Amino acid sequence: MNNQIRLGHGSGGKLMHDLIHDMFFKHFSNTMLTKEADSAILKTTGKSMAFTTDSFVVHPLFFPGGDIGKLSICGTLNDLAVCGAIPQYISVGFILEEGFSLKELEKIVISMAREAQKAGANIVTGDTKVVRKGQADKLFINTSGIGTIPDYAEHFSAGKNIQQGDVVIINGSLGDHAIAVLSAREDLSFQSTLKSDCASLTHMIHQLLKSDFDIKFIRDLTRGGLATCLNEIAQTQAIDIEIQEEHIPVKEPVEGICETLGFDPLYLANEGKIAIIVSAKDADKVIESLRKDTLGRESAIIGQVKKGNHGIVTAESVIGGKRMLQMRSGEQLPRIC
Amino acid sequence: MNNQIRLGHGSGGKLMHDLIHDMFFKHFSNTMLTKEADSAILKTTGKSMAFTTDSFVVHPLFFPGGDIGKLSICGTLNDLAVCGAIPQYISVGFILEEGFSLKELEKIVISMAREAQKAGANIVTGDTKVVRKGQADKLFINTSGIGTIPDYAEHFSAGKNIQQGDVVIINGSLGDHAIAVLSAREDLSFQSTLKSDCASLTHMIHQLLKSDFDIKFIRDLTRGGLATCLNEIAQTQAIDIEIQEEHIPVKEPVEGICETLGFDPLYLANEGKIAIIVSAKDADKVIESLRKDTLGRESAIIGQVKKGNHGIVTAESVIGGKRMLQMRSGEQLPRIC
């Protein structure tokens, strides 16, 4: 009983106070958080800042290559980084189901602390709510993040000035996260070999932005995958994009499960992958920079911006056929993040 | 079926895209939000900013005097204001249960938009997740907020320099929110007369801070109520506080239900009430300023900082007896915010 979340842990009383001190402060410790004010007070420099939010409901909470805690920090760090910001401050909101294991919660909290620390960001404010058994599925996490935009990224504005001939690059194989989560959910036999790609890309992205490459767009390939991301940018900027499937890395277990279940890896969620659109002249240099990072070893040029302004994305298959990649109505796999 | 949330609304695909455009952009519209980037880009001035987060799980979603939408914005606005910040930017994270009514969602979204607009804050970034039926209770909302601290509040630091003789003020009756939510939950007959006090106190608080009153502490009296709030500040600052129950406004229906169910109004949650600790010399002027605001009409001096450094809070009853107000283990009513 004492190892489980109770309604009182969300009450504002002594149980909550103890949870905050003995669990959250212990692992997230920093002077801004432990002031226990209603808000964290941040110094600013007059530079622009980025602000983002994400809720995480992944099922199951633990999967090969990560857990909901790691995911909840990396997801928000990546949303800041793709906008050119250096992640600094993170807020955490927990919604806990009565009866949830305090031991599992601590594992998750440790994952969060580790990822935030690796990226040099601090968890500075938080909130905890508890609902009765059956009113939530174990644990949901919201993280919001704030980062400062350094001078070298000040004029990096996602998607502007994309032109015919620009190339599309991704930093590695598609679908690892979605299939790793599915494998943990369904207890599929290949789970020992496949891991989620869940990772913070802050360092890799800022290495690119610091260089003088003519980078026009970066976005992380989460829900909806590569196909949805390219559709969004194609439609918003009124450009046409073509990708070559033969150049897109897909790991064998992912390809296998996609064939069996009829999934398309181009639409599968990733948590450590980005698409980059860059001027053709700098494409090779971008690939070189990405491959220096362990998270970009398999980076590849996978497509180009074509002539046309219809907001259309097409994929050329290995045998040369072409198909339109449309934005789909729903998702192949719910609750993968 | 088309009037309900489906799993696809959280998928990253077309259904989600439509929900974002036809519901969230429609009501929250502002240029930062509709850029649809992974983060909102904020200008800063070099002044300090406050950053806060809160999740909302109130049950039921609609109650006399408000709904979860109004609550989710006011709660975060108030957390910023009590730290001296002027609320500017808000993020919103929805966790929706499959099957939840789109019509009810829109009502909630309209409430959120209205409260943000009244306070001059913009909802600039957001996220939507959907879980299967039975995996969440209809709708949970997280809001995070950022506000800038103006020059006049720069040196306002919660709780420092509190001295013997300082007085404790509240801006009106206690327990209205908790009992209004309870009444809606249990369909109690007095619900027609009692309303939640849920409100944004931004304006009222900044009127105080702009004046040259010697205000030492402000906090909103949410979970755990007045007693918990005073215990926190008494313990953190090592001071002793005494309050007089006869001076504490409690509405008749709240008093009635407290007597029947054995609740103590001093521990009940409020969503439009603050405690203020101020130098005795300025107490009357603070009361005068508060009463000019419709949200402070019933403001009253309810206690004093006594000699002693034990972190103890005592209450003197109407007939003169004294009792210690300890921090309780749990909450009388779960899910009131």
Side-chain angles (χ1 to χ4, degrees):
Chain A
M1 188 62 187
N2 284 333
N3 300 321
Q4 294 183 346
I5 287 291
R6 292 149 66 182
L7 281 174
H9 281 117
S11 71
K14 199 175 169 322
L15 267 178
M16 186 165 116
H17 184 263
D18 291 348
L19 180 69
I20 289 173
H21 281 254
D22 301 343
M23 175 90 75
F24 302 140
F25 285 1
K26 179 177 160 195
H27 296 295
F28 297 155
S29 187
N30 61 75
T31 51
M32 277 196 271
L33 180 67
T34 52
K35 270 187 186 154
E36 292 186 70
D38 290 290
S39 307
I41 305 300
L42 322 174
K43 298 283 164 210
T44 71
T45 57
K47 292 190 197 301
S48 294
M49 295 183 105
F51 178 35
T52 190
T53 195
D54 245 324
S55 297
F56 296 85
V57 299
V58 65
H59 167 77
L61 299 177
F62 299 87
F63 46 82
D67 59 45
I68 190 171
K70 182 179 180 186
L71 194 63
S72 72
I73 299 297
C74 291
T76 284
L77 293 175
N78 290 343
D79 278 344
L80 292 172
V82 297
C83 293
I86 296 172
Q88 291 175 284
Y89 307 111
I90 299 174
S91 69
V92 174
F94 292 104
I95 297 176
L96 301 163
E97 184 189 13
E98 184 187 18
F100 183 62
S101 153
L102 279 168
K103 212 169 147 184
E104 291 199 358
L105 179 60
E106 185 156 31
K107 273 192 207 169
I108 289 162
V109 163
I110 290 170
S111 280
M112 298 177 80
R114 188 189 302 133
E115 288 304 322
Q117 201 192 1
K118 276 202 304 199
N122 280 316
I123 294 167
V124 294
T125 188
D127 177 62
T128 309
K129 294 291 188 303
V130 181
V131 299
R132 273 194 209 285
K133 202 154 179 64
Q135 294 177 341
D137 190 12
K138 292 184 178 169
L139 165 69
F140 301 140
I141 301 177
N142 176 284
T143 53
S144 299
I146 300 177
T148 298
I149 299 184
D151 291 339
Y152 59 77
E154 209 182 338
H155 299 292
F156 168 68
S157 173
K160 275 189 195 155
N161 310 319
I162 298 177
Q163 290 164 14
Q164 186 183 340
D166 290 347
V167 306
V168 182
I169 289 172
I170 59 175
N171 65 313
S173 60
L174 295 187
D176 300 6
H177 175 71
I179 300 300
V181 169
L182 179 71
S183 76
R185 197 181 293 173
E186 309 292 342
D187 203 15
L188 297 176
S189 58
F190 57 80
Q191 69 177 19
S192 60
T193 61
L194 188 71
K195 281 187 176 158
S196 164
D197 58 339
C198 175
S200 160
L201 304 173
T202 308
H203 179 76
M204 192 181 73
I205 289 169
H206 280 280
Q207 283 301 113
L208 284 184
L209 294 175
K210 270 182 205 165
S211 312
D212 60 350
F213 309 142
D214 189 13
I215 292 171
K216 306 192 172 178
F217 174 77
I218 305 179
R219 183 164 289 173
D220 48 341
L221 305 175
T222 56
R223 282 181 289 179
L226 175 70
T228 304
C229 167
L230 294 183
N231 263 288
E232 283 167 359
I233 187 69
Q235 285 169 23
T236 323
Q237 301 298 324
I239 52 169
D240 292 346
I241 297 173
E242 187 172 292
I243 59 174
Q244 289 79 43
E245 292 194 63
E246 65 176 323
H247 296 142
I248 295 173
V250 179
K251 290 202 170 75
E252 217 183 285
V254 174
E255 203 157 0
I257 206 79
C258 281
E259 276 171 20
T260 312
L261 298 180
F263 294 153
D264 184 341
L266 301 182
Y267 289 88
L268 287 177
N270 315 275
E271 291 292 343
K273 296 291 151 41
I274 47 174
I276 301 162
I277 300 183
V278 60
S279 177
K281 68 176 173 55
D282 290 333
D284 290 341
K285 284 179 275 182
V286 166
I287 292 281
E288 197 182 325
S289 167
L290 290 171
R291 285 189 181 159
K292 280 185 191 152
D293 195 297
T294 44
L295 300 168
R297 290 257 184 280
E298 295 173 65
S299 295
I301 296 176
I302 59 143
Q304 306 78 31
V305 178
K306 308 297 281 190
K307 191 180 171 183
N309 56 6
H310 305 92
I312 288 172
V313 182
T314 49
E316 188 179 359
S317 80
V318 179
I319 55 164
K322 287 187 185 177
R323 62 176 172 133
M324 237 175 96
L325 294 178
Q326 282 176 308
M327 206 183 265
R328 293 197 177 165
S329 177
E331 167 64 78
Q332 310 175 108
L333 295 166
R335 292 187 65 185
I336 39 69
C337 64
Chain B
M1 188 61 186
N2 284 334
N3 300 321
Q4 294 184 347
I5 287 291
R6 292 149 66 182
L7 281 174
H9 280 116
S11 71
K14 198 171 169 326
L15 267 177
M16 187 165 116
H17 184 263
D18 292 348
L19 180 69
I20 290 173
H21 281 255
D22 302 343
M23 176 89 76
F24 302 138
F25 285 2
K26 179 177 159 193
H27 296 295
F28 296 154
S29 188
N30 61 74
T31 51
M32 277 196 271
L33 180 66
T34 52
K35 270 188 188 154
E36 292 188 68
D38 290 289
S39 307
I41 306 300
L42 323 174
K43 297 283 164 212
T44 70
T45 57
K47 292 189 198 302
S48 294
M49 296 183 105
F51 178 34
T52 190
T53 195
D54 245 326
S55 297
F56 295 86
V57 300
V58 65
H59 167 76
L61 300 176
F62 298 88
F63 47 81
D67 58 45
I68 190 171
K70 181 179 180 186
L71 194 62
S72 72
I73 299 297
C74 292
T76 284
L77 293 175
N78 290 343
D79 278 344
L80 292 172
V82 297
C83 293
I86 297 173
Q88 290 175 283
Y89 307 111
I90 299 174
S91 69
V92 175
F94 292 104
I95 297 175
L96 301 162
E97 184 189 14
E98 184 188 17
F100 182 61
S101 153
L102 279 168
K103 212 168 147 185
E104 292 199 357
L105 179 61
E106 186 156 30
K107 272 193 208 170
I108 290 163
V109 164
I110 289 171
S111 280
M112 297 176 81
R114 188 190 301 134
E115 287 304 322
Q117 200 191 3
K118 276 203 302 197
N122 280 316
I123 294 167
V124 294
T125 188
D127 178 61
T128 309
K129 293 290 188 304
V130 180
V131 299
R132 274 194 207 286
K133 203 156 177 65
Q135 295 177 339
D137 191 11
K138 292 184 177 170
L139 165 69
F140 301 141
I141 301 177
N142 175 284
T143 54
S144 299
I146 299 177
T148 298
I149 299 183
D151 290 340
Y152 59 77
E154 208 182 338
H155 300 291
F156 168 68
S157 174
K160 276 189 195 157
N161 309 320
I162 298 178
Q163 290 165 13
Q164 185 183 342
D166 289 346
V167 305
V168 182
I169 289 172
I170 59 174
N171 64 314
S173 59
L174 295 187
D176 299 7
H177 175 70
I179 300 301
V181 168
L182 179 72
S183 76
R185 197 181 292 173
E186 308 292 342
D187 202 17
L188 297 176
S189 58
F190 58 79
Q191 68 179 18
S192 60
T193 61
L194 186 71
K195 281 187 177 156
S196 164
D197 58 340
C198 175
S200 160
L201 304 174
T202 308
H203 179 76
M204 191 180 75
I205 290 169
H206 279 279
Q207 283 302 112
L208 284 184
L209 294 176
K210 271 181 205 165
S211 313
D212 60 350
F213 309 143
D214 188 13
I215 292 172
K216 306 192 174 178
F217 174 77
I218 306 179
R219 182 164 289 174
D220 49 341
L221 305 174
T222 56
R223 282 181 289 179
L226 174 70
T228 305
C229 168
L230 294 183
N231 263 288
E232 283 167 359
I233 188 67
Q235 284 169 24
T236 323
Q237 300 299 324
I239 52 169
D240 292 346
I241 296 174
E242 186 172 293
I243 59 174
Q244 288 79 43
E245 292 194 63
E246 64 177 323
H247 296 141
I248 295 173
V250 179
K251 290 201 170 75
E252 217 182 285
V254 174
E255 203 157 0
I257 205 77
C258 280
E259 277 173 19
T260 311
L261 299 179
F263 293 152
D264 184 340
L266 300 182
Y267 289 88
L268 288 178
N270 315 275
E271 291 292 343
K273 296 290 152 44
I274 46 175
I276 301 162
I277 300 182
V278 60
S279 175
K281 69 176 173 54
D282 290 332
D284 290 341
K285 285 180 274 184
V286 166
I287 292 282
E288 197 182 324
S289 167
L290 290 171
R291 287 189 180 160
K292 280 185 190 152
D293 195 298
T294 45
L295 299 169
R297 290 258 184 280
E298 296 173 65
S299 295
I301 295 176
I302 59 144
Q304 306 78 31
V305 178
K306 309 297 282 189
K307 191 179 170 184
N309 56 4
H310 306 91
I312 289 172
V313 182
T314 48
E316 188 180 359
S317 78
V318 180
I319 54 164
K322 286 187 186 177
R323 60 175 172 135
M324 236 174 95
L325 295 178
Q326 280 175 311
M327 205 183 266
R328 292 196 178 167
S329 176
E331 165 65 80
Q332 309 175 107
L333 295 167
R335 292 186 65 184
I336 40 70
C337 64

